[in-house]
Amino acid sequence: MNSLALATQNLTKHFDHFVAVDAVSFSVRRGEIFGLLGPNGAGKTTTIRMLLGLLAPTAGSGAVLGFDIVREAEEIRQRVGYVSQKFSLYPDLTVAENFDFYGGVYGVPRDARAQRRAATLAQVGLRGQEPMRVSNLAGGSRQRLALACALTHQPEFLFLDEPTAGVDPLSRRVLWDLLYDLAARGTSILVTTHYMDEAENCHRLAFIYRGRIVAEGTPAEMKTRQMLGEVVEIECDRADAALTALRAARLFDEVALYGTLIHAIGDDAAQKLAPARALLHAQGIAVASAGVVLPSLEDVFIARLRRASET
Amino acid sequence: MNSRLVSIIRKEFIHIIRDPRTLAIMFVIPIIQLILLGYAATTDIRRLNTAVYDADHTSSSRQLTEAYRASDYFAIRYYVQSEEELARLLDGGQARAAIIIPAGYADNLAKGAPAQVAVIIDGSDPAVASTAFAAAQSVGQAHSIQIIQQRLGIDVTKIGGIEVRPRVWYNPELRSSNYMIPAVMGMILQFLTQLFTALAIVREREQGTIEQLVVTPIKAWELVVGKVVPYIGIAFFDLLEVLFLGVLLFDVPIRGSILLLLTLSLLFLLTTLGLGLFVSSVARTQQEAMFLSFLVMLPAIFLAGFFFPLEAMPAWLQAISYFVPLRYMLIILRGIILKGIGFGSLTEPVIALAILGPLIFTAASLRFRKSLE
């Protein structure tokens, strides 16, 4: 079997006249955590739904674990786990009942279930909560349980659709530790998110925007090879006014607030440091520091989106 | 045993048990419907409120009034002194029938001239009116014969003539509860299985769990069967509950085999579960499912001959009724319970259900599978 756990070629989905996913090609290696990063409505969920056989592609093809996503969806479903955007658990069932239900559904042998349950719930930090009704669980715990349920049958591939939306930081940490753990043991993972800091956790990632992949690579590659232009970081007072002034001057392609700092993106940024300082000085804004910095994923993302919407 | 199916059935049972209010509703609904329809939806006309205007004031006229009262169809509640008063009572609905005995009634009888009596019936409710109409005539005729006999001093039964002896089979006392209660069972079977199947599936859609189920190896038929099995159990329990209460409260005779009844009910359930499945594939919320279920149920009840005989309906409605599964189930229920007939006399409805059941269920399953995408 080849080392690719997932591969798509020009995967496309049209809804009436709206193109949700447009000729998307990417691949995930075995034991890799692959992130699909993009704003809401970019086509992340549609892509996952096609990969799981929930939606038929309009064009293109794809394979998960070597099985065709259209013809062999049954084979895929037996071998993958899926944590959807919504908490797809039964609120009136207990933690244990939810877990056991999926165990039965995936055909986990009866005598293996108790042991599997203890181990998996311990993994996600829900040990001892077995008799709790899901309706009484906090959001983070629910999402951990949803993950546990997706792991009942020890899948070779795990799909997570926005697993951390609305989840507390501790649960997010637990979740990511677990994903690393799973990946280290050979599980391949596809995760969608719109959190930049989370994207840094992925082994490789792709930016998806308006149904198209606009950049792909490791987080490090993204910040170097995939970056368009350079980033100037400016620390100054009255950041709002500085932002307006810099945008009006059209000195840079893109100017954005980055916390209390300003990130300005453009070609030959180093040449533009002096004019920028002068400009802000003329507005009576005191500049504490200004210099070219390594781009963050967010910078790359914004630069890429800008380029994509121009074309 | 299929572990996926078992898991779904077990889960569904837990859902039901964890929701005691709905569970209670499922057991109480049949009782309420039975009592309401058993007592209230009766077309037995008894003790109709009646006003009497006796302008004759003789013992003969009083005898006639007494004859009407004794018939049990008329309860004499008002004695009035004018036709205007009579009209007022009928207008106001206090009286549904009125008897007018004109002055000279006794004299005419004595002279041997025809003595006329008027009976006025409120025809707003045709069912009540037609019964009252027939009763008014037959009471009058019987009383008339009695008077003639007295005058002639003979016994008419000894001089020949035709004697019609109608005999009513299956329900000799013509109690409408005997007719209604088997029908209530049919309605409850459909109501529970159709509505709750639809609700159970739509709830999964609302919760977003259906998407999770679809990406598991569960097959569509396993999901459907697993979801409906618990409701079939409850429907059977309700069936027996209604049967038991019917016997206890309404003396419904059970003449046929209960086992046959339950077996043929399964055939019927295939159609109602199919309808539930269909509703679930159309409705997006539980409210919609509820409304849609009632939308399906209401015409079905009328087209099945629940209240009114199908024979009395226009031909085009009768034609539609052939596609209503409940129609056949009511024939089966009434046939087995009231007539005590066996499988041999039920081939027609059984064949109809055997065709409709798989047809509806397959069509609904296909639609349902499509709706999952």
Side-chain angles (χ1 to χ4, degrees), chain B residues 173-348:
Chain B
E173 292 151 67
L174 293 176
R175 281 182 309 184
S176 57
S177 61
N178 278 0
Y179 185 69
M180 279 301 183
I181 284 162
V184 170
M185 294 166 63
M187 188 176 77
I188 287 168
L189 272 184
Q190 171 151 17
F191 181 76
L192 273 178
T193 49
Q194 183 193 312
L195 177 65
F196 285 97
T197 305
L199 285 181
I201 296 174
V202 172
R203 190 167 48 230
E204 295 247 11
R205 186 162 301 158
E206 277 185 330
Q207 287 172 347
T209 43
I210 197 113
E211 182 161 317
Q212 196 72 43
L213 294 183
V214 175
V215 299
T216 67
I218 292 177
K219 295 183 178 65
W221 74 266
E222 292 167 338
L223 183 60
V224 171
V225 172
K227 284 212 152 282
V228 302
V229 161
Y231 293 105
I232 292 179
I234 290 171
F236 273 178
F237 182 92
D238 281 349
L239 192 82
L240 296 174
E241 176 185 320
V242 171
L243 207 55
F244 176 75
L245 285 175
V247 173
L248 201 72
L249 297 176
F250 299 98
D251 286 323
V252 173
I254 301 176
R255 300 206 171 89
S257 150
I258 295 185
L259 199 67
L260 179 65
L261 191 68
L262 293 181
T263 314
L264 296 182
S265 300
L266 269 177
L267 209 54
F268 172 62
L269 289 179
L270 203 57
T271 68
T272 61
L273 298 172
L275 286 172
L277 200 58
F278 175 77
V279 167
S280 79
S281 70
V282 178
R284 275 157 305 172
T285 63
Q286 295 189 58
Q287 258 149 324
E288 277 182 25
M290 194 96 84
F291 282 129
L292 263 173
S293 291
F294 280 112
L295 210 64
V296 173
M297 276 296 289
L298 275 177
I301 286 173
F302 286 100
L303 290 176
F306 191 100
F307 293 110
F308 309 113
L310 289 167
E311 292 80 357
M313 291 180 194
W316 63 273
L317 260 187
Q318 288 194 40
I320 296 176
S321 79
Y322 286 110
F323 298 96
V324 176
L326 185 60
R327 173 201 166 119
Y328 303 105
M329 192 60 208
L330 293 195
I331 296 175
I332 291 172
L333 280 160
R334 283 171 177 155
I336 292 179
I337 293 175
L338 295 185
K339 301 185 183 174
I341 55 182
F343 190 76
S345 312
L346 289 168
T347 41
E348 202 181 307

Side-chain angles (χ1 to χ4, degrees), chain A residues 188-209:
Chain A
S188 317
I189 296 167
L190 178 71
V191 55
T192 73
T193 181
H194 56 254
Y195 291 118
M196 299 295 160
D197 55 336
E198 239 169 52
E200 301 262 6
N201 293 332
C202 300
H203 296 138
R204 272 191 325 128
L205 53 105
F207 286 163
I208 184 165
Y209 182 64

Side-chain angles (χ1 to χ4, degrees), chain A residues 297-310:
Chain A
L297 269 180
E298 191 168 334
D299 296 324
V300 182
F301 192 56
I302 289 168
R304 278 286 170 178
L305 293 200
R306 190 186 157 79
R307 172 68 60 87
S309 34
E310 276 166 1

Side-chain angles (χ1 to χ4, degrees), chain A residues 158 186 267 283 294:
Chain A
L158 190 59
D267 296 324
Q283 299 276 327
L294 252 185

Side-chain angles (χ1 to χ4, degrees), chain A residues 79-101:
Chain A
R79 291 171 176 81
V80 305
Y82 173 46
V83 180
S84 68
Q85 226 164 341
K86 290 198 237 167
F87 299 127
S88 41
L89 299 162
Y90 298 99
D92 51 335
L93 264 56
T94 64
V95 168
E97 284 162 350
N98 266 287
F99 188 86
D100 291 347
F101 169 65

